[in-house]
Amino acid sequence: MLSNKSFVRKTRHGRVIKVVREHYLRDDISCGALFCPQCDTSKAALRQTAENILVVDTNVVLHQMDLLENEIISDVVVLSVVLEEVKNKNLSLYNRLRAIIDNPTRHFFVFANEHHKDTYIKALAGETPNDRNDRAIRVATQWYQEHLGPSAKVILLTNDMDNRSKARESGIISETVQAYVQSLGKPELLDLVARSDAMDIDKNEAEDLRPNKKAVVYAEHKVMSEITAGLHQGRYHQGKLRVNRYNPFVAYVGSESVGEEILINGRQDMNRAFDGDVVAVELLPQSLLPGSQAVKIADRDDEEEEEEPVGLVPASADDAPQESQVQENSQLTGSNRPCGRVIGIIKRNWRQYCGSLEPMKMPGGSGGNVHALFVSADRRIPKIRIQTRQLANLIDKRIIASVDSWEPNSRYPSGHYVRTIGDIGDRATESDVLLIENDINSRPFADAVLACLPPLPWSVSDQDLLHQQRQDLRNLCVFSVDPIGCKDIDDALHCKLMPNGLYEVGVHIADVTNFVHPGTPLDEEASQRGTSVYMVERRIDMLPKPLTEDICSLRADVERLAFSVLWEMTAEAEIVSVSFTKSIIKSSAALSYVEAQARMDDSRLEDALTADLRNMNRLAKIMRQRRIERGALTLASPEVKFEIDTETHDPLDVGMYQVREANQMVEEFMLAANISVAEKILKHFPAYSLLRRHPVPTPNMFEPLLRTAAAVGVHLDISSSKALADSLDHAVGDDPYFNKLIRILATRCMTQAVYFCSGELSLPEFHHYGLAAPLYTHFTSPIRRYADVIVHRLLAAALGLSNLPPQFRDRSTLTSISDNLNYRHRNAQMAGRASVELHTLIFFKNRPMDAEARIVKIQSNGFIVFVPKFGIEGPVYLIGKGASKIASGSTSECSWVVDEEMQTVRASDGNCTFRVLDVTHVHIEVVEPQPNRPKLQLTLVS
Amino acid sequence: MEFISPEGLRLDGRRPHEMRQLHAEVGVVAKADGSALFEMGNTKVIAAVYGPHEVQIHSQQLHDQALVRCEYSMAAFSTGERRRRGKSDRRAMELSLVIRQTLEAAILTHLMPRSQIDIFVQVLQADGGTRAACINAASMALADAGIPMRDLVVSCAAGYLNSTPLLDLNYIEDSGGGPDLTVGIFPKLDKVSLLQMDSKLSTDLFEKVLTLAMEGSKAIAEYMRQMLLENTQKLAFARGTLKR
Ligand SMILES: [Zn+2]
């Protein structure tokens, strides 16, 4: 059957045209009931055993997703009209709904009511699209009841009163979400019902409980049409709001129309916007620019004073607090950053948040409905008001909550409880929180993914051996060097002196793409995960264990498939030629860094392997020297390593990661392989190569470093990476640790390197600043990084070994892949750091101790210290709340004079002076200012 | 953009291997020697054939075969935006050429030396797949005119979107940016006379999409043959040569 849909649409040029689209109505769409005698049941999902078959309307999907995600809701019909509306209104909810539908245990079924000949309806004259869709939902519900007959009870779930009464008129059973959940007899599930809907049902209850109902706390948001007009006229500016990670009362909006970031100061001006929301901003007149602190204090008064947390040392500029940098800049240059206030929200970025309830007194009686404040683990998120009937259960738990709405008359957004993760303070729970907050998928691999693995036990087959394009390199003396206990060995090396006096050096990388084929579920999963995640006590793999630890791992004495980079080098480490081949290798030794170093250092050893190691090390040193001469930076980051108790997974000891010559040797050849591969793939695929670049830091990113250095009389030249490298070399003090400290401070001035698609940028932008390399990519760790998997495929295609997968021929697809990789990579790092912070906390819980520390920055109320032994950094307060009592020694009434310009702080009695980069001693301990909120505290030791 | 829902329905409700509704009529232009109207869904094309007749411009005359000329145009009202389109814009020129070449391969031109056959094709309504519809309409008009042909030429388009081969793309699918190809075949001889594709597609996928387009063409051929047969029967009744 055929029906034509016609509608009127405005074109981009403002002309109005009539669009006519065909709309086919079918008689072969099945109802999805497993027990239906008339329809095809091959894809059916609705069970006869279900008490009810539920039909949901669009608003239920839009507002009650957390409830739908709960297992109690099953046997649901999702009409295509609903699905389409959800997709147009909120893509992330649509994706969540799709995930439920795809899960076979949930018994959700999509019914294409819009294409079914009996359920398609045409809009009546004068009927609004919304009314028409509501009617379509009712017609479809009625059809289901008639089609399935008395064998099933079909219920329409809708919170729309009008829709409900019309449904009842035509004989459809219809309930509100609230009433339906109540009928299930599980009161705790009512917590999942979103508040905005709950409110129109028990309005009286809600009104009584909400404090200062009448007071308007925030300005009303402007209506969308006014925002659009304002944006058009240039009165308003659109951009994504970013809240400062270290000070949640300050946010920035990157605006193209203004050309720089607009500062939003205080919750009042943020006007209910969340981090990541797309907002419309109005610029504030000059008179209201910062300096007038009054506004700030007014909206802070009820929140506890925010203190800077003690945490890991930032590894790059992306981790460091931004705010201090900004304020200092404006002081120095006198330039005023534009300030603004949010006048409307264009697109919400609400997600689910991990956190816990703010401690509160238990109300009298139990089981009642109480309001509580939810505090997110992410400091950028404001507290969320939720209702719960199970306060006693939740009060010491880590829970997930989501936001439903934020009315102007409410200080906090309202939301609802989603689920419990576990007990606060429990190591496993806290670890899970870190994973969830960083959007890391730690679920076991699905069966469909595992089905892509080759059968075990796997070994090299004759087919692999006879393959024309695979070179047999089993005769070479190949070995691997990795950290102790490494099971996923993805690289191995060899070095052979050839008769002509040249060295043949090879880097052999696990041939992961021989097992991970494009488009398979295994590939999709790896592409989504993007990288393996290394937490202190566990590893979350990108690929299933049989691949990472067995089939692909280049273990000793077994034959393995590899992708090899082979160079011919002179004794001066000049590359004469480079070639690439798929190969079969048999590693003769899997060494640890310690073992390799010991072999090289032990002059009595004269075996072939040790000789190869020494040759390689010599070549590596020359290559490294040359790289440094080119301007590569030797930066430093204090990497902390925990010794973990194998039983309890609690940390036993903590120390710095030691870097040996052997580490540097392996690193050098990996860099060389990555560079050679980058050159090769870019030559063949100028527009479709996946490369990695490290942007040149802007001068003002170096500002804090330069000021610190100047305060101690060191001049740094930042004009180029070469100049910086040289002046870092010359920055030596009396103190042996001084140089390392300066390098650590320099490292955090830079941003992170990122993946990109070569077609999106021009050649000069490909530059890798830190390595001083014009081209760079990732090739050497395909077991744990998806970028390397892509690069393997690109290289194989460049060598003519295989076809380039079609999605790589599409620049926008490749760009979205690289965006995802950057996101995953960043999250994996954040989670890893957070995991170290968590374990540092657990470590110090029972072991308060004193340690040597360095002052890295003087600020108005004290200074920031860095504790090298544990790699942590945090504030020591001299002034104000939290100031240490013993700091001033004998005179307890002493006051401090801070000179931020000279970076010194002096006791007013002149007894004691602290300068930046000075050595001091601090006491580290865990304190609990609030129950269940332990944190590290640093105090001065006299 | 999602062109096929996970439930397997396209935007207009078809499944990937389904064609739009076909409709054809012959003898729609009384003055012409042969004519046909051909519809694939909302795509509507009319074709008229004149000839064989004497060659108009003497210098163009071919002494061993017939001269086939083709003129393609789009009605100003054929798309949502009313716009006068010339017969000489580049797209129209290219299409005229493609239609002429495809049909010329079917006409037994050597039987009609020193004569001329004119084919006029006009798109009345465009909704994707106009190229295929034009060839089908012209092919039926030629048959209606009684021009000797090796076989009917039948054409159909297919594309590849959301990793699925799709038959007979409509306008939205056509502008989806995926690879699409138009194939023209001689259904009885089982030979290909036209194959056009503008974008890249790996060989195994190309194979799949091509097979789909050819299957589609065969189904169209079946329908066209039926329509022609009905028309001939009608004519035979009218003449009284065929009795019920
Ligand atoms: Zn049925």
Side-chain angles (χ1 to χ4, degrees):
Chain A
M1 236 200 280
L2 178 69
S3 159
N4 263 323
K5 275 205 282 198
S6 76
F7 54 94
V8 175
R9 194 172 64 96
K10 214 171 167 186
T11 65
R12 247 185 302 173
H13 307 291
R15 263 180 285 187
V16 174
I17 57 169
K18 186 176 171 191
V19 179
V20 179
R21 281 188 194 150
E22 279 185 295
H23 191 90
Y24 288 89
L25 301 179
R26 318 184 61 96
D27 54 7
D28 66 341
I29 292 174
S30 67
C31 66
L34 287 157
F35 50 91
C36 179
Q38 302 156 45
C39 303
D40 170 27
T41 53
S42 60
K43 283 182 182 157
L46 309 169
R47 295 163 299 177
Q48 185 153 32
T49 52
E51 273 183 40
N52 312 298
I53 305 284
L54 300 176
V55 181
V56 291
D57 80 350
T58 312
N59 280 326
V60 169
V61 177
L62 288 175
H63 300 304
Q64 309 288 356
M65 186 53 77
D66 294 322
L67 181 72
L68 294 180
E69 279 175 344
N70 191 291
E71 260 133 46
I72 197 88
I73 305 290
S74 67
D75 301 280
V76 175
V77 175
V78 181
L79 302 174
S80 60
V81 60
V82 172
L83 205 57
E84 203 54 36
E85 275 194 291
V86 171
K87 190 174 167 187
N88 290 335
K89 288 201 169 130
N90 188 327
L91 202 58
S92 84
L93 284 179
Y94 171 77
N95 289 332
R96 280 167 73 186
L97 181 61
R98 272 288 175 203
I100 308 177
I101 294 166
D102 290 342
N103 183 345
T105 65
R106 299 299 311 279
H107 303 279
F108 275 51
F109 181 79
V110 176
F111 179 68
N113 69 313
E114 293 287 287
H115 289 288
H116 192 288
K117 67 177 170 53
D118 296 332
T119 56
Y120 174 73
I121 54 162
K122 280 196 164 169
L124 302 172
E127 196 175 32
T128 66
N130 270 337
D131 288 345
R132 184 257 162 209
N133 289 348
D134 282 347
R135 191 160 60 88
I137 293 168
R138 292 196 300 273
V139 167
T141 314
Q142 201 160 18
W143 178 86
Y144 257 93
Q145 188 63 73
E146 281 162 16
H147 181 78
L148 296 176
S151 58
K153 183 178 164 197
V154 183
I155 299 180
L156 172 64
L157 283 190
T158 173
N159 281 346
D160 180 338
M161 218 154 63
D162 182 46
N163 199 4
R164 212 160 50 234
S165 60
K166 278 186 183 155
R168 285 178 180 155
E169 272 168 34
S170 45
I172 303 166
I173 309 168
S174 177
E175 298 279 6
T176 62
V177 176
Q178 186 97 353
Y180 177 72
V181 173
Q182 222 139 25
S183 74
L184 295 174
K186 295 203 173 164
E188 68 274 13
L189 281 173
L190 282 171
D191 286 4
L192 287 173
V193 177
R195 252 182 69 87
S196 57
D197 285 281
M199 264 164 54
D200 69 35
I201 293 148
D202 44 6
K203 214 164 210 151
N204 301 332
E205 186 194 358
E207 229 162 289
D208 287 344
L209 286 162
R210 275 191 4 198
N212 42 16
K213 169 77 179 160
K214 298 278 171 328
V216 170
V217 186
Y218 300 99
E220 286 278 353
H221 288 153
K222 299 261 192 279
V223 292
M224 205 54 216
S225 55
E226 204 182 328
I227 293 175
T228 321
L231 288 172
H232 197 70
Q233 294 160 359
R235 270 187 295 135
Y236 303 147
H237 307 277
Q238 178 177 345
K240 198 178 245 187
L241 185 97
R242 286 274 160 234
V243 177
N244 190 323
R245 207 174 271 279
Y246 295 85
N247 179 358
F249 298 98
V250 173
Y252 312 93
V253 174
S255 160
E256 279 178 23
S257 49
V258 175
E260 60 179 317
E261 285 188 325
I262 303 166
L263 183 72
I264 314 282
N265 212 334
R267 286 261 159 85
Q268 198 80 44
D269 285 351
M270 277 189 230
N271 196 359
R272 296 172 276 152
F274 271 57
D275 180 68
D277 287 355
V278 178
V279 296
V281 178
E282 175 184 50
L283 289 184
L284 291 175
Q286 291 285 321
S287 57
L288 282 175
L289 288 184
S292 56
Q293 296 284 323
V295 193
K296 263 200 269 177
I297 293 157
D299 84 340
R300 270 188 202 193
D301 57 3
D302 72 327
E303 302 257 356
E304 73 273 22
E305 195 181 321
E306 290 283 332
E307 290 183 356
E308 280 172 82
V310 179
L312 277 190
V313 177
S316 73
D318 306 317
D319 302 327
Q322 221 187 350
E323 179 224 22
S324 49
Q325 199 186 325
V326 169
Q327 286 189 347
E328 281 147 17
N329 277 352
S330 58
Q331 280 165 13
L332 279 182
T333 56
S335 76
N336 272 328
R337 194 187 182 76
C339 280
R341 99 176 130 227
V342 174
I343 52 98
I345 289 164
I346 295 163
K347 193 166 186 294
R348 279 289 188 192
N349 184 41
W350 283 341
R351 54 179 177 93
Q352 297 186 330
Y353 303 99
C354 286
S356 50
L357 295 182
E358 193 167 72
M360 62 186 283
K361 273 203 217 88
M362 284 291 169
S366 65
N369 196 2
V370 292
H371 288 255
L373 279 179
F374 167 88
V375 184
S376 170
D378 185 341
R379 287 160 47 96
R380 294 172 296 180
I381 306 303
K383 291 175 188 171
I384 300 166
R385 183 188 300 282
I386 68 169
Q387 278 187 54
T388 177
R389 290 161 184 78
Q390 38 175 346
L391 183 65
N393 285 338
L394 299 184
I395 197 78
D396 345 302
K397 296 280 196 292
R398 288 278 177 222
I399 61 171
I400 294 181
S402 58
V403 189
D404 301 323
S405 65
W406 196 347
E407 301 301 323
N409 54 13
S410 164
R411 188 176 290 280
Y412 303 113
S414 11
H416 62 270
Y417 158 84
V418 179
R419 68 183 170 92
T420 302
I421 306 167
D423 291 330
I424 292 180
D426 175 47
R427 198 192 46 77
T429 304
E430 299 294 344
S431 244
D432 284 346
V433 169
L434 301 182
L435 293 175
I436 296 169
E437 277 292 301
N438 286 297
D439 195 8
I440 290 165
N441 176 2
S442 59
R443 284 187 294 275
F445 288 97
D447 291 340
V449 172
L450 296 174
C452 302
L453 300 179
L456 288 172
W458 179 90
S459 62
V460 172
S461 67
D462 290 343
Q463 210 185 339
D464 294 321
L465 281 171
L466 294 172
H467 201 285
Q468 287 193 342
Q469 285 156 334
R470 205 173 270 286
Q471 228 175 313
D472 187 352
L473 300 179
R474 283 176 298 173
N475 54 339
L476 291 175
C477 173
V478 172
F479 55 88
S480 62
V481 187
D482 288 284
I484 295 175
C486 178
K487 285 180 184 149
D488 49 345
I489 305 174
D490 43 19
D491 53 77
L493 301 152
H494 89 272
C495 175
K496 191 174 78 175
L497 182 59
M498 295 194 297
N500 59 5
L502 296 177
Y503 287 94
E504 183 193 76
V505 182
V507 165
H508 311 277
I509 306 299
D511 192 3
V512 171
T513 51
N514 192 62
F515 306 99
V516 181
H517 299 288
T520 56
L522 175 62
D523 185 51
E524 297 285 322
E525 180 76 19
S527 161
Q528 269 312 306
R529 293 194 178 210
T531 173
S532 293
V533 180
Y534 291 79
M535 306 291 274
V536 170
E537 80 291 3
R538 66 186 281 212
R539 183 183 82 210
I540 295 136
D541 284 322
M542 177 182 85
L543 293 167
K545 205 154 248 158
L547 274 183
T548 56
E549 292 191 354
D550 185 7
I551 299 171
C552 287
S553 182
L554 304 177
R555 294 179 298 146
D557 302 319
V558 285
E559 292 173 357
R560 285 289 176 257
L561 302 181
F563 208 159
S564 304
V565 180
L566 304 169
W567 297 284
E568 285 185 316
M569 283 187 186
T570 63
E572 286 74 46
E574 297 286 354
I575 293 173
V576 178
S577 71
V578 57
S579 63
F580 309 89
T581 179
K582 293 248 178 172
S583 60
I584 299 174
I585 60 162
K586 188 174 177 183
S587 172
S588 52
L591 304 173
S592 68
Y593 288 122
V594 186
E595 282 174 300
Q597 191 65 46
R599 269 173 185 264
M600 288 193 281
D601 293 345
D602 188 347
S603 54
R604 290 164 307 175
L605 285 178
E606 287 298 341
D607 59 304
L609 177 62
T610 310
D612 286 352
L613 268 174
R614 287 188 188 131
N615 279 335
M616 279 202 109
N617 194 28
R618 200 175 51 74
L619 292 171
K621 276 184 177 165
I622 303 172
M623 287 157 72
R624 185 177 165 80
Q625 190 52 41
R626 206 178 294 140
R627 198 161 55 81
I628 288 168
E629 278 164 20
R630 261 202 331 262
L633 298 168
T634 37
L635 300 170
S637 56
E639 282 196 53
V640 181
K641 199 166 162 46
F642 280 97
E643 208 173 289
I644 296 285
D645 187 318
T646 46
E647 296 275 308
T648 61
H649 292 290
D650 281 343
L652 293 175
D653 198 5
V654 59
M656 302 296 272
Y657 191 83
Q658 202 186 346
V659 178
R660 296 179 178 81
E661 250 182 20
N663 298 44
Q664 292 180 339
M665 173 187 90
V666 174
E667 186 195 353
E668 206 55 49
F669 283 104
M670 294 307 136
L671 292 179
N674 287 335
I675 292 173
S676 288
V677 170
E679 285 164 357
K680 178 77 177 174
I681 57 173
L682 188 68
K683 192 172 138 202
H684 283 261
F685 304 110
Y688 305 119
S689 289
L690 183 76
L691 301 177
R692 191 165 170 82
R693 70 194 188 98
H694 186 206
V696 179
T698 56
N700 66 8
M701 291 165 77
F702 279 117
E703 206 69 58
L705 172 70
L706 292 183
R707 211 146 9 107
T708 306
V712 293
V714 171
H715 173 72
L716 293 177
D717 182 357
I718 55 156
S719 57
S720 71
S721 64
K722 170 80 177 137
L724 179 62
D726 287 346
S727 51
L728 281 176
D729 285 343
H730 292 120
V732 279
D734 318 327
D735 164 11
Y737 197 74
F738 181 80
N739 187 262
K740 174 107 192 251
L741 196 57
I742 287 277
R743 282 181 199 277
I744 289 173
L745 293 179
T747 309
R748 68 171 70 163
C749 293
M750 289 163 210
T751 54
Q752 301 237 318
V754 287
Y755 298 110
F756 68 100
C757 164
S758 59
E760 296 292 325
L761 294 171
S762 63
L763 196 59
E765 294 170 293
F766 295 3
H767 190 76
H768 195 295
Y769 178 80
L771 297 173
L775 287 181
Y776 193 66
T777 193
H778 271 164
F779 172 73
T780 52
S781 299
I783 294 181
R784 54 193 176 83
R785 286 191 307 232
Y786 191 74
D788 304 53
V789 173
I790 295 176
V791 171
H792 274 232
R793 288 186 188 144
L794 285 164
L795 182 62
L799 297 173
L801 302 179
S802 62
N803 284 329
L804 196 62
Q807 63 266 37
F808 291 5
R809 292 250 178 227
D810 180 4
R811 200 192 278 181
S812 64
T813 313
L814 204 54
T815 302
S816 72
I817 291 175
S818 71
D819 287 347
N820 180 51
L821 290 179
N822 287 328
Y823 172 73
R824 297 291 169 191
H825 194 77
R826 175 106 194 95
N827 283 3
Q829 274 185 330
M830 301 277 284
R833 285 170 52 81
S835 174
V836 173
E837 277 178 3
L838 171 66
H839 282 82
T840 309
L841 196 69
I842 297 173
F843 177 75
F844 283 111
K845 197 156 196 170
N846 303 315
R847 304 179 187 78
M849 60 174 81
D850 293 353
E852 191 184 273
R854 305 282 170 150
I855 298 172
V856 291
K857 191 180 155 219
I858 306 282
Q859 53 185 32
S860 58
N861 54 358
F863 45 75
I864 307 269
V865 295
F866 162 54
V867 185
K869 189 177 176 204
F870 304 109
I872 55 174
E873 188 177 284
V876 171
Y877 294 107
L878 298 175
I879 301 164
K881 201 173 109 184
S884 100
K885 298 278 182 298
I886 46 166
S888 47
S890 52
T891 48
S892 57
E893 291 301 309
C894 171
S895 60
W896 296 88
V897 181
V898 176
D899 184 345
E900 280 191 74
E901 188 68 23
M902 287 307 294
Q903 289 280 294
T904 59
V905 55
R906 207 172 53 244
S908 57
D909 57 6
N911 272 347
C912 186
T913 307
F914 294 104
R915 291 176 60 227
V916 73
L917 299 189
D918 270 358
V919 180
T920 175
H921 285 85
V922 291
H923 180 70
I924 309 166
E925 65 181 336
V926 175
V927 292
E928 291 200 34
Q930 284 173 294
N932 295 327
R933 308 288 187 283
K935 60 174 197 173
L936 276 181
Q937 181 175 288
L938 306 178
T939 43
L940 264 192
V941 179
S942 53
Chain B
M1 185 159 167
E2 195 180 81
F3 289 97
I4 309 139
S5 71
E7 287 69 46
L9 288 184
R10 288 155 74 170
L11 294 170
D12 57 6
R14 286 183 289 157
R15 296 197 192 276
H17 291 193
E18 286 175 352
M19 212 163 348
R20 289 175 287 178
Q21 205 161 51
L22 295 177
H23 175 76
E25 257 176 68
V26 283
V28 288
V29 182
K31 272 189 183 172
D33 295 320
S35 63
L37 177 78
F38 196 88
E39 293 180 23
M40 301 170 90
N42 275 339
T43 295
K44 200 175 278 197
V45 176
I46 194 163
V49 169
Y50 294 87
H53 56 78
E54 213 173 314
V55 179
Q56 281 159 341
I57 302 165
H58 203 71
S59 60
Q60 287 180 345
Q61 183 181 326
L62 303 169
H63 64 89
D64 57 345
Q65 61 176 47
L67 172 71
V68 179
R69 293 186 63 231
C70 176
E71 197 176 290
Y72 162 92
S73 61
M74 268 178 108
F77 50 81
S78 62
T79 55
E81 243 173 308
R82 277 182 300 284
R83 181 149 58 101
R84 187 161 294 281
R85 284 160 220 269
K87 279 173 283 193
S88 53
D89 74 27
R90 288 171 71 171
R91 199 184 106 85
M93 303 255 286
E94 187 254 355
L95 263 162
S96 302
L97 186 71
V98 168
I99 297 167
R100 183 175 67 80
Q101 285 176 342
T102 314
L103 291 165
E104 207 173 13
I107 300 169
L108 300 169
T109 48
H110 62 278
L111 297 181
M112 301 160 277
R114 293 183 294 281
S115 65
Q116 175 175 346
I117 299 166
D118 292 313
I119 307 169
F120 296 91
V121 186
Q122 187 165 39
V123 176
L124 301 179
Q125 196 167 290
D127 186 24
T130 47
R131 197 171 293 244
C134 286
I135 291 172
N136 294 336
S139 183
M140 284 184 83
L142 282 170
D144 184 42
I147 309 260
M149 285 157 76
R150 282 185 184 81
D151 193 354
L152 276 175
V153 199
V154 186
S155 173
C156 188
Y160 186 73
L161 281 168
N162 295 160
S163 311
T164 321
L166 297 183
L167 187 64
D168 189 18
L169 307 184
N170 66 20
Y171 178 73
I172 313 170
E173 291 166 337
D174 213 8
S175 21
D180 65 307
L181 61 81
T182 304
V183 67
I185 62 164
F186 297 128
K188 275 208 166 154
L189 305 173
D190 206 14
K191 281 187 173 156
V192 174
S193 66
L194 165 74
L195 181 53
Q196 269 194 314
M197 185 170 78
D198 298 335
S199 40
K200 287 180 192 166
L201 199 57
S202 73
T203 40
D204 48 331
L205 285 176
F206 174 75
E207 205 85 28
K208 277 188 201 159
V209 178
L210 178 63
T211 317
L212 183 63
M214 286 178 65
E215 274 167 20
S217 305
K218 281 175 192 162
I220 294 176
E222 197 57 43
Y223 176 78
M224 279 165 60
R225 199 168 294 282
Q226 184 119 23
M227 284 294 124
L228 287 169
L229 209 61
E230 274 174 27
N231 184 53
T232 315
Q233 273 172 349
K234 234 188 282 171
L235 288 175
F237 277 130
R239 279 192 195 168
T241 49
L242 197 72
K243 298 267 165 355
R244 254 174 235 267

